[in-house]
Amino acid sequence: MPRCGAIPRTYVQQIWQSAGVSRHPTLTAGPDEWLNRVRAGRSEDPVTHVERLPARPGVLVDWPGWTPPVLRDAFVARGVTRPWAHQVAAAEMAASGESVVIATGTASGKSLAYQLPTLTALLSDARATALYLSPTKALAADQLRGLLDVADAVGGGIRPALYDGDTADAERDWVRAHSRLVLTNPDMLHRGILPRHDAWASFLRRLRFVVIDECHAYRGVFGSHVAHVLRRLRRLCARYRSAPVFVLASATVADPRTSGAALIGAPLRAVTEDGSPRGATTFALWEPPVSPFVGERGAPVRRTATAEAADLLADLVAVGARTLAFVRSRRGAEAVALGAKRALAEAVPELVDQVDAYRAGYLADDRRELEAALRSGALRGLASTNALELGVDVTGLDAVVLTGYPGRLASLWQQAGRAGRGSRDALAVLVARDDPLDSYLVHHPSAVFGRPVEATVLDPTNPYVLGPQLACAAAELPLTEADLPLFGGAVARAALDGLVDAGVLRRRPAGWYWTSRGRPDADLRGTGGEPVSIVEASTGRLLGTVDAGSAPSSVHTGAVHLHRGETFVVDELDLENLVALVRRAEPDWYTQSRDVTDLSVVSVSASIAFDGVELSFGTVDVTNQVVSYVRRRIATGEVLDEQPLDLPERRLRTRAVWYTMTDPVLTSAGVALEEPDIGGAAHAAEHAAIGLLPLVASCDRWDIGGLSTASHQDTGLATVFVYDGHPGGAGFAERGFAAADDWLTATRDAISACECAAGCPSCVHSPKCGNGNDPLDKAGAVRLLTAVVDRVRHARAEQSTFGHQVGGQRPL
């Protein structure tokens, strides 16, 4: 028998012979047959559920009467003989001067909905300009390729051009002077265009349309920053007497009209009915088998999702399915690609070079080379981070493997939709990680297939976002009283007062002025500063970058770093000089960092209580420090050892949700009133709650943190905290407070349903626990959560009945 998940070479050769090809398999089999083949030969079936999503017919309509014939002919020549109904609905709104968000499924042709009105305006008015904003460089570059074709077909004059961090200085001068359609990203708009608006005055004065593609990507801290960047853009456009129409495009999200209006700071209309066709999709939920090895404290562990996804990627490539494997981390994408290459080297060495990795942090030339190879078919398998989740053109794919739940249903459907574009049938496989949320989802299919997608969460009033953005706005143009409603009204005024007190701004009768010769800056992505360069020590070769905030946990001394199939070990992390020095190595283990946390409550914004349990939401101060790392065997996940680290603390003020329990509550739950017993139950409940929060909030478990204690110094009671891992908060803890009933119920059910005896990574073990997952009381956590959930429900019922909520920034 072959190793788990591998296809023996003789079997693959038989498939090739039956398909009539000798080297590159091109099979006529559909997704059900592919799924059956990759399940074959396994000792136990890893598939827990198969959902078959039906095909959907398309609804074609006529071109709008205002479409220039030359533009219509250009689209027809590219295969778009008639548009879909939703494309025309959105285009008509934009053309009439109404801002609009089009929120339809992946590959539904949203780009035509904004290209029609923008290109029509540019062809009709030789002075008009347009700005396209994309969340990634790759997506903007992909859009440019298509626009250049259209521009050539209509006789030139539109002059689309890319303006990003990779654009040479000479090209930037040309773009400012001559381009009428500029494609860029929020970072470049923030750093390179708005601060130099005088150089862009002619472009801004003639700006007719602003297109914001993949707008669902703007969430959390990043989305909150981008919301202010767009407000700054609107303010400067008004300065130059223009009022552009905004056209937003998004994958399906909950309430796109509200979230779109929050992003741009202005009302808009929404188009949500999808008129495009869609092939059928076979969607499998896949749980890796329990390995023969054990984890910490003898806990059973499942085969890692990355190892399972690597085999699946190799297997699907071998049977002829062009496959994209999404992986949650840069390191994971590299590991999946490397594992797939190793599997193919054993069975089908001819296909090894047709698998590669793709992620953010690669140099621009490397990214574009990989994108071209995927489009051309030179690559048949690619492991990618969510850098390819968005609308980069990767048509022709047959299958998608999701290595772990991506944290949001919107992302899950966006990733799954990358295969089977148009009327092609597709296979999607969600491979569960050894994690409470993933384990819950693969055994509760209705939580995947029966729920609406999440709303986009962003908070422009976050003081850690608002303050720096107001400073940027004042440096561009002094702020006046008339500007305050655009940036939040009273909240903006309070933030301005703080900036004046700090000496950042100066108040004058005419408004607020920037006081420094230099320019202010704001970190849009909340990464905590300038990136850390990853450099091969022996050659000086720059391999890529990692943000400063995650450097201590990802490129600490001793960490394993993967880059395009090559393995490196970090010899030194120099945070002062922002460089990690690495060397080539071939370890059979990977690393995971561990941290410790301290937390104090600053104020309580809202709370509810019933019979000894109080649920609260508010502001907290968190001190966090990476203190060690563990080495784990690649194939099995077993822990080899733990090594200490000496790294600086990270301090942040953020938002948290927490609950407290009195002694009678604990006693009623069967938890002994001894610190180890309380601590073990609370600790297990905390770990699982962190893992399950993404079920109700649009976050990743690595975006949040937690702390539990038998008696917290600020509450005086047994307390469990879950907090946002971003300065000022990101909206995740607030969502947890609002949906605590569902969140904590799912947490309890996930722990209770797990088949392990005393706790494991699928329920209460955490990969980043600084205490080595000790103490943990699985059974105690179930009883404790049952008591808490019952009382929270009673508190909610009382709140509904009497219509009150305790709150109002109570300092402790």
Side-chain angles (χ1 to χ4, degrees), residues 714-755:
D714 293 329
T715 67
L717 297 169
T719 311
V720 174
F721 294 89
V722 175
Y723 61 86
D724 292 350
H726 299 274
F732 308 139
E734 185 172 14
R735 178 60 184 157
F737 177 80
D741 313 47
D742 294 338
W743 169 37
L744 297 179
T745 297
T747 301
R748 178 198 60 193
D749 293 348
I751 301 173
S752 180
C754 187
E755 298 176 355

Side-chain angles (χ1 to χ4, degrees), residues 58-200:
V59 180
L60 289 166
V61 296
D62 293 332
W63 293 95
W66 43 262
T67 307
V70 65
L71 181 59
R72 181 195 60 216
D73 293 345
F75 283 121
V76 170
R78 299 181 71 201
V80 185
T81 55
R82 296 173 67 199
W84 306 116
H86 64 281
Q87 295 171 325
V88 170
E92 292 276 18
M93 293 176 190
S96 67
E98 294 183 280
S99 291
V100 60
V101 55
I102 178 169
T104 52
T106 305
S108 59
K110 293 182 285 291
S111 59
L112 184 67
Y114 53 76
Q115 287 178 3
L116 263 180
T118 57
L119 296 180
T120 295
L122 297 183
L123 289 170
S124 303
D125 181 354
R127 292 181 52 80
T129 62
L131 182 70
Y132 280 18
L133 197 67
S134 301
T136 67
K137 294 179 182 179
L139 180 54
D142 188 72
Q143 287 183 324
L144 178 63
R145 282 186 286 267
L147 286 167
L148 287 171
D149 290 342
V150 175
D152 289 342
V154 299
I158 295 174
R159 298 189 294 274
L162 193 63
Y163 191 85
D164 63 19
D166 296 330
T167 307
D169 290 342
E171 292 180 52
R172 293 184 184 190
D173 293 339
W174 185 93
V175 172
R176 280 194 300 271
H178 302 292
S179 178
R180 298 177 56 217
L181 200 167
V182 173
L183 298 96
T184 189
N185 53 64
D187 308 84
M188 199 63 182
L189 179 61
H190 163 59
R191 297 179 188 274
I193 296 178
L194 298 183
R196 302 191 61 198
H197 61 87
D198 52 344
W200 287 84

